[in-house]
Amino acid sequence: MVVRLLPWQSDAPFSWISEAEGAHLAAGAFLEPPGISWEVLMATHGEALTQGMPDALIEVINAVPFLGIELAQVAGRLDAALDMAISSPLLLILLVEKGAQERWSADTFAALLHHKQSTLCAVAGLPATRSSAKLLRRCQLGPVIRRELFPLKRALNNPDNSEFLRHQPYVHSKHLIFLANYEGARWPGLLTLINEALTPAPHYRGSAWLKAMLVDTQRMLATRTEALYPVSSLAAFQALHDQLVNVFNAHATAGNLQSSATELQQRHGPYPTPPLPNTTLITAITSWQDLLVEGERMRHCVGSYSSAVANGKVAIYHLQQPEPVTVAITPQGQRWKLSEARAVRNAPPSQEAHYFINVWLTEQS
């Protein structure tokens, strides 16, 4: 089979036909990809296909290559879409995704682009407001995969996020994706934490680590979340977290271990029976006192997980080798899956430690 695509500098950019032994098989011209990924096309015929394509459009496509052909077809046919690639690239992406799902014609898409951007926000599934349109225009793009578009839109539909982000000087697509699955406090320095945690080097920790640390910190702060407002770097955030851990563990263990354990017993009842048996390397935490001791010796805040443990939402284990790791597992149907694994001071465990934990969970299943 042969697929023939017209280049950017043609009457119908990125329209295509497929043939086999000279026989016509299929064709596509608008919001109709040929079934070949943008990455493959660029690796094999990129220079010929994109010669003359504006840099702004190439930048948008590189952020969402899974919509590359569709974006090229739309922007190549409609001048207003090409203008939007410069003025509001994220809105263009959401409209192209919607149009591909609903199989819009070029005439339908062209008619829509005559409307105000606030109206187009509603078409894309967002609030039909000027503030939504303005936020989309301000949002900088980074690499986005297809499954992240849904949480990105969910974040934009959350009025708390809109109110928070409208006051921030710099907004990025990675901020929206993170905020979609984060329900805690919002303050200006949070965006810096997201930037640093998701930067490849030297701070990279990942969004899962940052969310877990934010949840831990706010659990220990309780109603005192104003302590987060001065925090504007990962170093400052880690210092605040460590300070809270030290205070929590000191209160729970320095001469108060038994009374703290008794208090948890009175509050929650007996410590739940561990769901999975011990192994040579991995042993269960089996009492409220053991839970508090685990937090003290590992210098993190697992002792504050008492409510989640009591409610059966999480079970805590300890990996002894190749290095000490606190392991939290959570129920998923009839099985248990890894929720968190943290070494001393919340450091990420080694690959070897992760291997032993995953083997343990697989064998138990």
Side-chain angles (χ1 to χ4, degrees):
M1 185 180 76
V2 176
V3 177
R4 306 183 189 280
L5 284 94
L6 291 180
W8 175 257
Q9 294 181 326
S10 66
D11 293 335
F14 287 83
S15 61
W16 57 274
I17 60 171
S18 61
E19 303 171 338
E21 298 180 352
H24 174 84
L25 296 178
F30 191 82
L31 292 175
E32 295 174 316
I36 303 173
S37 72
W38 180 262
E39 293 91 340
V40 169
L41 287 175
M42 293 304 99
T44 55
H45 302 85
E47 185 174 351
L49 288 171
T50 61
Q51 185 175 2
M53 180 180 284
D55 290 342
L57 179 59
I58 293 175
E59 187 175 330
V60 174
I61 292 175
N62 286 340
V64 288
F66 57 88
L67 286 174
I69 301 293
E70 294 93 323
L71 281 163
Q73 290 175 339
V74 171
R77 291 281 296 274
L78 307 175
D79 290 342
L82 185 56
D83 291 342
M84 188 175 286
I86 299 171
S87 65
S88 188
L90 183 52
L91 179 56
L92 176 63
I93 288 169
L94 297 179
L95 289 172
V96 167
E97 183 208 24
K98 182 79 168 181
Q101 291 173 349
E102 299 187 355
R103 303 180 67 84
W104 293 346
S105 68
D107 289 341
T108 298
F109 211 130
L112 282 172
L113 292 178
H114 285 296
H115 293 283
K116 294 180 179 180
Q117 289 192 0
S118 57
T119 302
L120 295 179
C121 286
V123 173
L126 305 176
T129 62
R130 292 175 60 188
S131 59
S132 291
K134 184 176 181 180
L135 179 57
L136 287 173
R137 288 195 296 271
R138 293 175 52 227
C139 186
Q140 301 297 306
L141 283 179
V144 176
I145 58 178
R146 186 182 293 274
R147 68 172 181 266
E148 290 176 332
L149 284 182
F150 179 75
L152 188 150
K153 287 190 287 186
R154 188 170 72 246
L156 288 166
N157 275 293
N158 184 332
D160 291 339
N161 290 333
S162 300
E163 180 62 23
F164 168 58
L165 293 172
R166 67 192 292 257
H167 299 292
Q168 308 310 314
Y170 174 77
V171 181
H172 195 278
S173 56
K174 63 184 175 184
H175 298 151
L176 295 171
I177 295 166
F178 183 92
L179 291 172
N181 298 306
Y182 170 69
E183 299 178 355
R186 285 152 170 74
W187 76 100
L190 175 61
L191 300 188
T192 303
L193 267 59
I194 297 171
N195 293 340
E196 291 188 14
L198 300 183
T199 298
H203 297 293
Y204 183 80
R205 298 293 185 90
S207 61
W209 174 88
L210 181 57
K211 287 172 189 172
M213 289 285 285
L214 285 164
V215 169
D216 287 352
T217 301
Q218 291 172 75
R219 185 193 304 112
M220 291 184 288
L221 283 171
T223 60
R224 298 176 292 115
T225 54
E226 65 275 6
L228 288 167
Y229 298 167
V231 174
S232 60
S233 70
L234 276 187
F237 177 61
Q238 182 78 62
L240 173 62
H241 178 273
D242 291 350
Q243 178 186 14
L244 293 169
V245 168
N246 291 337
V247 170
F248 178 89
N249 288 332
H251 174 75
T253 60
N256 299 303
L257 180 58
Q258 186 58 53
S259 62
S260 296
T262 300
E263 180 183 340
L264 292 177
Q265 176 89 5
Q266 293 172 344
R267 184 188 309 166
H268 300 301
Y271 194 92
T273 301
L276 302 180
N278 294 340
T279 69
T280 304
L281 295 179
I282 301 177
T283 56
I285 302 300
T286 59
S287 70
W288 297 119
Q289 182 167 317
D290 287 349
L291 184 68
L292 296 173
V293 169
E294 179 73 2
E296 170 67 15
R297 68 174 172 173
M298 296 295 289
R299 299 178 63 191
H300 54 46
C301 63
V302 73
S304 67
Y305 283 44
S306 58
S307 294
V309 170
N311 294 331
K313 295 180 180 179
V314 69
I316 307 298
Y317 286 75
H318 181 82
L319 172 70
Q320 302 172 49
Q321 294 178 352
E323 75 259 17
V325 176
T326 302
V327 180
I329 58 174
T330 189
Q332 186 177 54
Q334 300 299 313
R335 306 171 62 182
W336 287 80
K337 68 171 185 176
L338 180 64
S339 174
E340 298 178 59
R342 303 196 193 183
V344 176
R345 292 187 70 242
N346 289 298
S350 65
Q351 290 186 350
E352 187 179 6
H354 267 295
Y355 171 78
F356 283 121
I357 294 167
N358 289 328
V359 167
W360 169 63
L361 287 172
T362 301
E363 290 177 348
Q364 300 301 330
S365 301

